[in-house]
Amino acid sequence: MFEIIISILKSTWYIWLIIFLFGAVIPCLVKIFKPKIKGFIGEKTVALILATLDKKKYKTINDLIIKIEGESTQIDHVVVSNYGIFVIETKNYKGWIVGHESGNDWKQVIYKEKNDFLNPIKQNEYHIKFLKAALKIFPEVKYYPIISFTAEADIKVNTTKDVVHEEFLLRTIKKYRTEIISDDLKDEIFDHLKMIREMNAEYIKEHVRNIKEKRRKINTEMR
């Protein structure tokens, strides 16, 4: 009986190796990529919420990358509307969120654990700076920054800016009711941003190719 068991184990060693690798490697990968996964989920959730806006009044671009003079930034969501342009930064954090609108960093507090992260208000100001440069041919446009957190976050931030839970995102957007952009101008701005996204898609491909080429060279040199 013992010999039979040994024989089975020998013939199926690769299966046990796979099980071991999955058990050891997958948890590590999940830990490494968890913040990015959570961020991705948060952005997709907000994108679905924004998709319910009246399409006659609001046009949304998600995950917009703008490159200007060798620098680039990634904006989670841009909503072009008759009322102005909403620039939305999403944060998929839980726990206490503590900070001040003028501070460089905010804190995420979960029991005794504290983690600093970049003040998203300042982060969004940086995004708007790029957006204004990209849309400089439309100087009459107003910009409204919004920071959106998930329901798991307990927001304890000292600010007069729009820092809200995602469930209140639509209500926050809709509180701006003064029409300052015509339908034609709104469509023109939206088309201009789509053109920028398509141009930057080529930049992203080139960036990825450059990274792959650098890694290939490093691997070659190490042999």
Side-chain angles (χ1 to χ4, degrees):
M1 183 66 179
F2 182 73
E3 292 179 354
I4 294 174
I5 294 173
I6 294 298
S7 177
I8 292 172
L9 290 174
K10 285 183 177 179
S11 62
T12 59
W13 64 269
Y14 56 91
I15 296 176
W16 298 106
L17 178 60
I18 292 171
I19 292 172
F20 170 77
L21 289 175
F22 267 81
V25 175
I26 296 301
C28 293
L29 291 176
V30 169
K31 186 176 181 180
I32 293 170
F33 292 104
K34 187 176 180 180
K36 291 186 177 181
I37 294 170
K38 288 181 68 178
F40 175 80
I41 292 172
E43 289 180 25
K44 292 301 179 183
T45 300
V46 170
L48 290 173
I49 292 171
L50 296 176
T52 66
L53 287 166
D54 182 357
K55 291 176 175 54
K56 293 180 180 179
K57 295 292 184 181
Y58 304 89
K59 291 179 176 289
T60 303
I61 291 183
N62 302 303
D63 194 22
L64 175 64
I65 293 177
I66 299 177
K67 180 187 178 187
I68 296 176
E69 296 179 355
E71 294 187 56
S72 64
T73 192
Q74 183 263 338
I75 307 175
D76 292 338
H77 314 277
V78 178
V79 180
V80 183
S81 76
N82 295 97
Y83 316 101
I85 297 178
F86 298 92
V87 185
I88 303 166
E89 174 70 19
T90 62
K91 294 298 180 186
N92 196 8
Y93 293 165
K94 62 181 180 180
W96 286 7
I97 305 301
V98 182
H100 191 280
E101 67 178 64
S102 62
N104 290 325
D105 296 309
W106 287 5
K107 287 186 182 295
Q108 177 195 35
V109 182
I110 303 176
Y111 300 108
K112 293 183 179 181
E113 183 180 349
K114 297 180 181 179
N115 297 302
D116 290 339
F117 62 97
L118 181 64
N119 179 346
I121 292 176
K122 290 195 171 185
Q123 188 177 2
N124 224 16
E125 288 174 352
Y126 185 73
H127 294 162
I128 291 174
K129 176 184 175 183
F130 270 76
L131 200 54
K132 284 182 176 179
L135 297 175
K136 60 185 177 182
I137 58 176
F138 307 102
E140 66 274 36
V141 173
K142 284 188 177 182
Y143 297 83
Y144 304 111
I146 302 176
I147 311 302
S148 172
F149 281 91
T150 64
E152 292 182 286
D154 188 355
I155 305 172
K156 299 179 180 293
V157 177
N158 185 2
T159 179
T160 57
K161 308 294 185 182
D162 287 323
V163 180
V164 301
H165 288 111
E166 61 190 17
E167 61 184 298
F168 301 118
L169 183 56
L170 295 183
R171 188 173 75 181
T172 302
I173 290 173
K174 291 178 181 179
K175 77 179 182 180
Y176 297 94
R177 301 305 302 167
T178 303
E179 293 199 16
I180 57 176
I181 298 176
S182 67
D183 288 337
D184 289 341
L185 182 57
K186 177 185 64 185
D187 292 342
E188 191 176 346
I189 293 171
F190 183 71
D191 289 341
H192 189 75
L193 289 177
K194 284 200 301 182
M195 180 188 69
I196 289 173
R197 183 168 64 176
E198 290 169 2
M199 290 171 58
N200 283 311
E202 291 302 316
Y203 160 72
I204 294 169
K205 289 178 183 177
E206 181 183 351
H207 181 65
V208 171
R209 284 196 296 267
N210 289 338
I211 290 174
K212 288 182 177 179
E213 180 61 22
K214 286 180 181 178
R215 287 178 179 172
R216 187 191 66 77
K217 288 181 179 179
I218 291 171
N219 291 334
T220 302
E221 290 171 358
M222 291 177 64
R223 289 174 185 173

